[in-house]
Amino acid sequence: MPSLLGLLRIGASSLEAQQAGVAVSGNNIANATTKGYSRRTLTIDEGRGVSGGAVAVSVDRAEDFVLSQQLASQTGALSLASRTGQSLSAIEIVFQIGQAGQSRLASAVTDLAQALSQLTAAPGDLTRRTAVLEKGRIVAQEFNRVGTQLTQLATATTQSARDLVPAINDAAQQVAGLNRAILGSSTPGLPTQAGSNDRNQDQRDALAQKLAELAGGSLLRNPDGTYNILVNGLALVHGTEAQALSLTTLPNGSVSAAVGGQTVQGALAGQLGGLLQAGAINTRLQGQIDHLAFDLSSAINAQHALGVGLDGKGGRPFFTPLAAAAGAASQMALDPTLRADQLAAGFTAAPGDNGNALALATLIDQPVLDGGRSNFQSFYSSITATLGFDVQRAQSDESRATDQQAALSAQQQAVIGVSTDEEMAQVLAYQRAFEASSRFVQVVDEMLQRLVQVT
Amino acid sequence: MRISDQQTLNNALRNLQSNQERLSRSSERATTGLEVARPSDDPAAYNRAADYQTQLTRMDGYDQNISLVRARLASTDSTTQSMQGVLTRLRELALGALGPGTDSTLVASEVVSLRAQLTQLTNRNINGEYLFSGYSGAAPFNANNVFTGDNQRRAIEVSPLGATTFGLTAKDAFGVDPGQVVFPGIDSLITAIRTRDQAGVNAGIGAIDSYQKTLAQAQTQLGSQMNWLDLAQSSNQSYRMTLNTALSEARDADPAQAYSALAADRTTMEATYAVLSAGRGLSLVKYL
């Protein structure tokens, strides 16, 4: 039979256990909005023997690794799609329909064709000749604008990708460090601070998700409880070790990633993957626009050279001849020496000869670009259509990934998230139990007092 | 299912975000009137719209060319009519030139002055461009009435169907080739009147007849050119309407639809706010 003092201990143990419960719930509530925090639950067990009382035996951290794994992969897919979409939207503005009812580049070329068509009606008219030169200058300027804007956007995209690298490597280092700490504290015989392991795990999980968002890292759990974080099969974090991620700009302007010196194969996920993908699309687009600028200026030059100016001289270029397609859009310019009277509107010096002006005006509609396969409109359309479909794909990927990520995140929060209502209800339970135990201690005390008075 | 605070918050944020995105897109549609503003809105429609817009812009050019060509054809027409008048007057004079009681010297001098009028008419120009000089920019007939121009006609784009040649060459109107004298029969007529050579005058009348015939044929050609111009203009007009409709269908937002979508998105947004603030009040803490 327990002694009266033993009964006091029962009460005391319960008071202690309920306080621990209030502390755990209080901590949960305090961290309801802490990023990466997993709610803790207190397990109260009965003490040994009849007067064992209650013992707070453990504080457990809620977790579901499989959910974390899936969430990481969806987060990587989502940030890939949204970063790609974001960068491509900026590129798309270059081709936005403007005041003229179509993109500025397309309307500049249309205006040139129209000015040439009007020149055919009065080929000797200097005002009309000057108008053609002016429209030609605007075509070159529009190509320059598009070329420059695409180059600037490419530079910005590459810079953003480079800016991500330190953050990725820092997070990988931290995960490796936390892996070490977690491994150390779970090794028997090593002294650890109570609860510090849970905190390390919270931080590590949050960092792992961050790595998924930044670099599309996927999660693996080792039997010893440490995490590996892989990027397309290469280990950014391998247990307690981290490998550095680096970016290299290749001669063709595209950027490739390497982990620990090994080149990453295939497309990356995460923000970095999105930026690299947008960069690759931009490189392709620049190539296409350069190709268009080169072919268009070459075709117009070739036709223009066939005609003669009012001075009877032929063989003059309209645009400054370009050596190669690379960089053609940025370099395109109206031949600065070409004067209005030298514009080759005819095949003879006769001011009424409009033969070449007519040929130039219709050239825009002829399949003279891309090795004779496209005219301006079809070439330009193929460029904008591919870009449009790229953006659409990124947008639909984003909306799908958003839904899946939200569903997974909700599932994960259902397991690890704090519900303040639930915690308040728990606190009430602990409070009532605490009150009851206090009352119990008071009763035992009164019994003890009675005993003392009697003796 | 357990519902955690974070979950509720994430949900609310996500809904706010997606509703705001939708609202911003539908406001853009309603305010710009454009359903397709960039390639990704609908790549095919974007390119169709660009194509229609290009054709519409070109159409403006065709219309300007039409009015220019029309002015040129009109002055060519009035010039040839004046010439017909002069030739008719010449024919009348020639018929009575050697009649009894006619002062043939007087007649000869009138014929000379009419000849000068014809020369003026053949060298007629509009806005500095000679009507019958072909491609050449100089006056087509020199002081000796020798044709120094060429017989080329310009092809001009007046419709999407392509370029058509307009105007009359000196060959069309007067039957001359470069280096030849225009209306040589009139010069012979003057000599015949002065020398009172009836056979020569008769030959002159024959020549005038043939000039009038050639000119009349050229006038018919001019008439059919003007007809073609009218046809091109009216077909351009109806094609322009078709293009405008097609462009609008490809690119523009349906206003009724755009406004009702905007209203619907606004309502959803308001509902989201209402639900959010209603949810915020629900907490056990309030009841303790």
Side-chain angles (χ1 to χ4, degrees):
Chain A
M1 281 295 288
S3 64
L4 276 176
L5 284 172
L7 289 178
L8 265 183
R9 273 198 297 277
I10 294 177
S13 77
S14 166
L15 288 178
E16 210 172 293
Q18 308 311 329
Q19 273 188 61
V22 172
V24 168
S25 285
N27 206 43
N28 280 343
I29 293 172
N31 285 296
T33 58
T34 305
K35 202 169 167 57
Y37 182 78
S38 278
R39 77 193 162 99
R40 314 282 202 265
T41 42
L42 178 72
T43 311
I44 298 178
D45 210 349
E46 54 186 304
R48 286 211 191 108
V50 183
S51 60
V55 191
V57 282
S58 66
V59 177
D60 297 312
R61 176 177 175 274
E63 74 168 331
D64 185 331
F65 178 72
V66 175
L67 270 179
S68 298
Q69 215 173 14
Q70 289 175 341
L71 185 63
S73 123
Q74 269 320 314
T75 304
L78 173 60
S79 53
L80 163 69
S82 71
R83 206 71 174 83
T84 309
Q86 214 178 320
S87 301
L88 291 187
S89 298
I91 293 177
E92 236 195 335
I93 292 174
V94 177
F95 300 98
Q96 183 128 11
I97 289 181
Q99 294 290 319
Q102 58 186 148
S103 75
R104 282 169 59 182
L105 179 61
S107 76
V109 173
T110 309
D111 286 351
L112 174 62
Q114 197 208 3
L116 282 163
S117 173
Q118 285 184 265
L119 181 66
T120 61
D125 183 9
L126 271 181
T127 317
R128 284 175 194 236
R129 288 173 162 264
T130 311
V132 170
L133 292 191
E134 203 41 51
K135 298 299 181 190
R137 198 188 316 280
I138 293 173
V139 167
Q141 278 171 359
E142 278 307 314
F143 269 107
N144 298 160
R145 181 185 65 88
V146 170
T148 312
Q149 283 185 351
L150 288 180
T151 313
Q152 282 170 352
L153 286 167
T155 312
T157 309
T158 309
Q159 191 53 48
S160 303
R162 292 198 176 281
D163 290 347
L164 281 181
V165 173
I168 291 168
N169 285 333
D170 185 50
Q173 288 286 352
Q174 286 190 53
V175 171
L178 288 165
N179 270 341
R180 272 197 296 280
I182 290 160
L183 194 62
S185 62
S186 59
T187 309
L190 280 174
T192 53
Q193 225 181 329
S196 72
N197 210 21
D198 287 347
R199 189 168 156 264
N200 286 340
Q201 288 184 20
D202 280 352
Q203 287 186 351
R204 183 185 60 179
D205 282 11
L207 282 165
Q209 296 297 338
K210 188 180 171 191
L211 274 173
E213 189 195 327
L214 294 179
S218 56
L219 285 184
L220 275 181
R221 186 161 59 178
N222 295 316
D224 61 6
T226 58
Y227 280 2
N228 288 350
I229 295 179
L230 305 177
V231 172
N232 288 17
L234 298 176
L236 209 51
V237 178
H238 190 269
T240 56
E241 298 301 324
Q243 295 201 87
L245 180 137
S246 58
L247 295 181
T248 320
T249 306
L250 301 174
N252 68 359
S254 64
V255 178
S256 84
V259 173
Q262 265 187 291
T263 307
V264 178
Q265 302 297 326
L268 274 173
Q271 287 190 18
L272 184 62
L275 287 165
L276 295 187
Q277 192 175 327
I281 290 175
N282 191 332
T283 306
R284 185 199 71 208
L285 203 57
Q286 283 187 53
Q288 289 172 324
I289 292 288
D290 279 346
H291 187 182
L292 177 60
F294 183 74
D295 281 9
L296 184 69
S297 63
S298 305
I300 291 180
N301 279 350
Q303 186 61 49
H304 187 261
L306 293 178
V308 298
L310 291 176
D311 56 0
K313 286 200 186 114
R316 292 192 181 101
F318 184 76
F319 293 109
T320 306
L322 297 165
S330 316
Q331 292 160 17
M332 196 169 169
L334 184 76
D335 185 41
T337 59
L338 188 68
R339 294 195 317 259
D341 59 301
Q342 295 172 334
L343 186 72
F347 294 116
T348 60
D353 188 350
N354 72 348
N356 205 30
L358 190 62
L360 283 166
T362 49
L363 185 74
I364 313 282
D365 303 323
Q366 304 299 317
V368 290
L369 311 177
D370 195 22
R373 278 187 289 274
S374 325
N375 63 15
F376 174 77
Q377 185 65 37
S378 64
F379 198 140
Y380 186 71
S381 290
S382 72
I383 296 175
T384 52
T386 330
L387 175 65
F389 286 124
D390 284 336
V391 180
Q392 274 193 340
R393 196 177 322 116
Q395 284 169 348
S396 76
D397 283 356
E398 183 179 358
S399 87
R400 195 180 48 239
T402 304
D403 291 346
Q404 290 182 351
Q405 202 255 8
L408 278 170
S409 164
Q411 284 181 40
Q412 195 203 30
Q413 282 302 320
V415 176
I416 70 165
V418 176
S419 160
T420 44
D421 284 352
E422 185 190 21
E423 300 301 336
M424 281 313 294
Q426 280 290 350
V427 167
L428 280 182
Y430 292 131
Q431 189 186 1
R432 297 290 170 253
F434 187 89
E435 282 168 9
S437 296
S438 315
R439 187 82 185 95
F440 173 73
V441 170
Q442 195 186 349
V443 169
V444 175
D445 182 43
E446 280 167 9
M447 288 163 75
L448 275 170
Q449 280 186 18
R450 172 58 58 93
L451 258 181
V452 172
Q453 281 170 9
V454 168
T455 51
Chain B
M1 191 184 188
R2 253 187 106 250
I3 302 291
S4 66
D5 290 19
Q6 198 65 44
Q7 208 176 329
T8 318
L9 191 72
N10 285 350
N11 235 340
L13 280 177
R14 194 163 49 82
N15 288 336
L16 264 183
Q17 186 61 39
S18 71
N19 285 339
Q20 245 152 12
E21 221 175 279
R22 269 227 306 276
L23 186 62
S24 122
R25 187 73 192 92
S26 54
S27 332
E28 190 193 335
R29 276 205 186 97
T31 51
T32 62
L34 292 178
E35 181 75 26
V36 177
R38 52 189 83 78
S40 66
D41 290 337
D42 184 341
Y46 173 89
N47 284 329
R48 270 206 313 281
D51 194 19
Y52 298 145
Q53 186 60 55
T54 302
Q55 295 189 51
L56 275 170
T57 310
R58 297 293 289 275
M59 211 63 96
D60 292 342
Y62 299 146
D63 284 354
Q64 291 182 31
N65 283 353
I66 285 178
S67 53
L68 203 98
V69 170
R70 193 190 295 284
R72 212 176 141 81
L73 291 187
S75 59
T76 310
D77 189 45
S78 73
T79 307
T80 51
Q81 272 177 30
S82 311
M83 285 178 160
Q84 285 288 21
V86 174
L87 288 170
T88 307
R89 176 74 190 126
L90 273 171
R91 195 174 187 283
E92 284 167 16
L93 283 172
L95 276 175
L98 302 183
T102 311
D103 181 351
S104 56
T105 325
L106 218 67
V107 174
S109 70
E110 194 178 347
V111 171
V112 168
S113 106
L114 286 173
R115 172 80 170 109
Q117 277 185 37
L118 274 180
T119 306
Q120 264 184 3
L121 286 168
T122 53
N123 275 340
R124 180 102 181 259
N125 76 65
I126 168 170
N127 299 331
E129 271 207 313
Y130 293 94
L131 294 178
F132 303 106
S133 69
Y135 281 176
S136 152
F141 297 96
N142 66 14
N144 300 323
N145 291 320
V146 174
F147 181 44
T148 55
D150 54 62
N151 277 321
Q152 310 226 54
R153 279 192 307 172
R154 281 206 292 268
I156 294 166
E157 289 184 305
V158 290
S159 81
L161 300 175
T164 319
T165 48
F166 287 104
L168 297 177
T169 62
K171 178 89 175 170
D172 296 332
F174 324 121
V176 290
D177 284 315
Q180 291 181 338
V181 173
V182 70
F183 302 137
I186 299 173
D187 295 328
S188 327
L189 177 68
I190 294 167
T191 319
I193 294 171
R194 281 188 181 140
T195 57
R196 302 194 64 83
D197 165 11
Q198 187 59 53
V201 171
N202 288 346
I205 292 169
I208 290 172
D209 284 347
S210 88
Y211 299 152
Q212 282 198 304
K213 205 174 144 201
T214 310
L215 207 53
Q217 277 168 356
Q219 282 176 310
T220 317
Q221 206 182 332
L222 209 57
S224 71
Q225 285 180 11
M226 287 174 110
N227 269 344
W228 172 243
L229 215 54
D230 290 341
L231 222 94
Q233 190 165 31
S234 73
S235 88
N236 281 359
Q237 248 165 24
S238 62
Y239 189 44
R240 186 193 291 273
M241 275 173 66
T242 314
L243 279 176
N244 270 320
T245 313
L247 174 65
S248 180
E249 270 168 14
R251 192 189 63 189
D252 295 346
D254 172 11
Q257 211 177 2
Y259 292 132
S260 61
L262 178 62
D265 289 343
R266 269 191 64 102
T267 313
T268 315
M269 196 74 221
E270 277 164 13
T272 313
Y273 287 137
V275 168
L276 268 183
S277 59
R280 204 184 48 190
L282 288 177
S283 171
L284 186 56
V285 181
K286 281 183 75 170
Y287 300 93
L288 294 178

